[in-house]
Amino acid sequence: MKAGIVGLPNVGKSTLFNCLSNAKAQSANFPFCTIEPNIGVVNVPDSRLEKLEELVNPERVIPATVEIVDIAGLVKGASKGEGLGNQFLGNIRETDAIIHVLRCFDNDNIVHVDGSVDPIRDKETIDIELQLKDLEAVEKKIDKVKRAAKTGNKEAQKEESILLELRKGLEAGISVRAITISEDDHFTYVKPLQLITDKPVLYVCNVDEEAAVNGNEYVKKVKEVVATEKAEVIVLAVGTEADITELEDYEERQLFLQDIGLEEPGSAVLIRAAYKLLNQQTYFTAGVKEVRAWTINIGSTAPQAAGVIHTDFEKGFIRAEVIKYEDFITYGSEAKVREAGKLGVEGKSYVVNDGDVMHFLFNV
């Protein structure tokens, strides 16, 4: 599962990517600096993992990760191949969620591809290009389904009605994720199309240091515009975050954050938000050899969670021993949790909760 960072050229995408991954993607003051997508595997900050480490004192600790992709900047006409349009749209189609960076700061020294700062216009520019590409895909699908629908095929008629709803919305400038379609119909008819504007989106308002805590007028406008999209908005001073990541000393970083009124780097907030955006959550295994965070989809059952460790664990699943994270912290060890009668024994139908500490019994 991976999230793609998108936006117009020169809004801070590559600088943000560098902050998140420390991969040092090329960043410069001109359009199309990023041509090939840069990919970074980023640790998900989780204080629960640190507390488990303190209690268990394992030989090693392995955090959960999320894959972040820095994609080339998009310009008007991308849906028709302008700029790096086709490449951009191909790269974004391969991601599972979108992190959309919007420039929300004034700085005469950093050129804007359209000559002025206007995050709403910038958002619309990208939305329109993505919607046009999706409209193209929907139109093709309608042409295929229409023939079968005319013969009286009920399934084809149902699919055609859904596709016509999509076309109507896209033509009105509405992204697929904001078009009202039942969950069952979405799963059956919309999801297989892999439409770009159906992907979940997180908007990152890139502000200057003064607006890092409370945002600014640009941010206010963005929040008003995206209110109907069910999308989250995060405020991040990307340039400042870049300065923070350059500091190697932990105490220096904390002092820097305190000076600007932040409790933790905004990049940490963003990584956790991206993880959630990808519909992912964490369970833990905790032993003297290793304390580890495992990534599963929200709603996964115990056998599916076991399968993340090894497919044999899922195939031969017998049962799972489950400790709630809060109980592990309260009692301090697995043995004491057992003594207190707080260890649960769960079967195949158990749905794993975020933060569960688990041990699997299996037989192959």
Side-chain angles (χ1 to χ4, degrees), residues 83-95:
L84 298 169
N86 291 328
Q87 186 171 336
F88 172 96
L89 295 163
N91 291 333
I92 195 172
R93 198 180 292 281
E94 292 171 9
T95 65

Side-chain angles (χ1 to χ4, degrees), residues 48-63 284-294 328:
R48 298 173 302 180
L49 196 65
E50 296 166 14
K51 289 179 181 176
L52 288 171
E53 180 184 7
E54 289 172 12
L55 291 173
V56 179
N57 193 26
E59 291 178 14
R60 62 177 182 170
V61 177
I62 302 178
F284 302 102
T285 51
V288 291
K289 288 282 185 186
E290 175 183 280
V291 166
R292 182 164 183 162
W294 298 90
F328 201 108

Side-chain angles (χ1 to χ4, degrees), residues 74-90:
L74 177 147
V75 294
K76 288 176 185 175
S79 59
K80 303 298 181 188
E82 291 293 325
L84 298 169
N86 291 328
Q87 186 171 336
F88 172 96
L89 295 163

Side-chain angles (χ1 to χ4, degrees), residues 235-253:
V235 178
L236 204 65
V238 175
T240 303
E241 293 285 330
D243 292 338
I244 292 172
T245 58
E246 292 295 328
L247 298 173
E248 295 182 7
D249 184 76
Y250 174 78
E251 289 186 6
E252 278 188 51
R253 286 189 180 194

Side-chain angles (χ1 to χ4, degrees), residues 104 119-120 207 211 214-224:
C104 295
I120 307 307
V207 299
N214 299 314
N216 54 28
E217 284 302 310
Y218 290 133
V219 174
K220 186 179 176 183
K221 289 177 183 177
V222 170
K223 287 182 176 179
E224 289 171 358

Side-chain angles (χ1 to χ4, degrees), residues 65-285:
T65 58
V66 63
E67 201 167 288
I68 305 290
V69 186
D70 177 26
I71 297 170
L74 177 147
V75 294
K76 288 176 185 175
S79 59
K80 303 298 181 188
E82 291 293 325
L84 298 169
N86 291 328
Q87 186 171 336
F88 172 96
L89 295 163
N91 291 333
I92 195 172
R93 198 180 292 281
E94 292 171 9
T95 65
D96 303 287
I98 298 169
I99 299 171
H100 188 161
V101 183
L102 296 167
R103 177 172 169 176
C104 295
F105 67 90
D106 294 304
N107 186 333
D108 293 339
N109 294 320
I110 300 176
V111 297
H112 189 289
V113 70
D114 286 329
S116 62
V117 177
D118 185 344
I120 307 307
R121 178 201 60 211
D122 295 352
K123 175 188 176 304
E124 288 173 354
T125 296
I126 286 195
D127 283 351
I128 289 168
E129 296 305 325
L130 301 186
Q131 289 160 5
L132 285 172
K133 202 66 181 176
D134 280 351
L135 186 59
E136 186 181 301
V138 169
E139 292 278 15
K140 286 179 182 176
K141 188 66 175 177
I142 288 173
D143 288 342
K144 288 181 181 178
V145 172
K146 193 180 287 183
R147 301 186 198 103
K150 282 181 178 177
T151 67
N153 184 309
K154 297 292 184 186
E155 183 68 17
Q157 288 175 346
K158 177 67 183 290
E159 184 172 9
E160 184 183 31
S161 71
I162 298 294
L163 292 168
L164 291 173
E165 279 296 309
L166 293 180
R167 183 172 73 179
K168 181 181 174 184
L170 288 165
E171 286 178 339
I174 302 170
S175 292
V176 173
R177 74 181 76 87
I179 298 172
T180 304
I181 293 171
S182 74
E183 195 173 326
D184 287 344
D185 287 344
H186 182 276
F187 182 80
T188 305
Y189 304 111
V190 182
K191 194 173 181 182
L193 296 174
Q194 294 183 300
L195 299 172
I196 299 172
T197 66
D198 191 35
K199 298 177 189 293
V201 64
L202 170 70
Y203 291 100
V204 177
C205 292
N206 182 12
V207 299
D208 52 27
E209 188 175 308
E210 290 71 26
V213 177
N214 299 314
N216 54 28
E217 284 302 310
Y218 290 133
V219 174
K220 186 179 176 183
K221 289 177 183 177
V222 170
K223 287 182 176 179
E224 289 171 358
V225 167
V226 307
T228 58
E229 283 193 47
K230 303 173 188 172
E232 189 175 349
V233 177
I234 284 181
V235 178
L236 204 65
V238 175
T240 303
E241 293 285 330
D243 292 338
I244 292 172
T245 58
E246 292 295 328
L247 298 173
E248 295 182 7
D249 184 76
Y250 174 78
E251 289 186 6
E252 278 188 51
R253 286 189 180 194
Q254 293 307 113
L255 285 171
F256 197 139
L257 289 168
Q258 286 174 19
D259 285 345
I260 60 175
L262 295 175
E263 293 181 7
E264 65 176 339
S267 55
V269 177
L270 173 57
I271 293 166
R272 286 197 296 270
Y275 193 65
K276 186 178 177 183
L277 192 69
L278 290 164
N279 195 44
Q280 297 187 317
Q281 66 180 24
T282 300
Y283 77 86
F284 302 102
T285 51

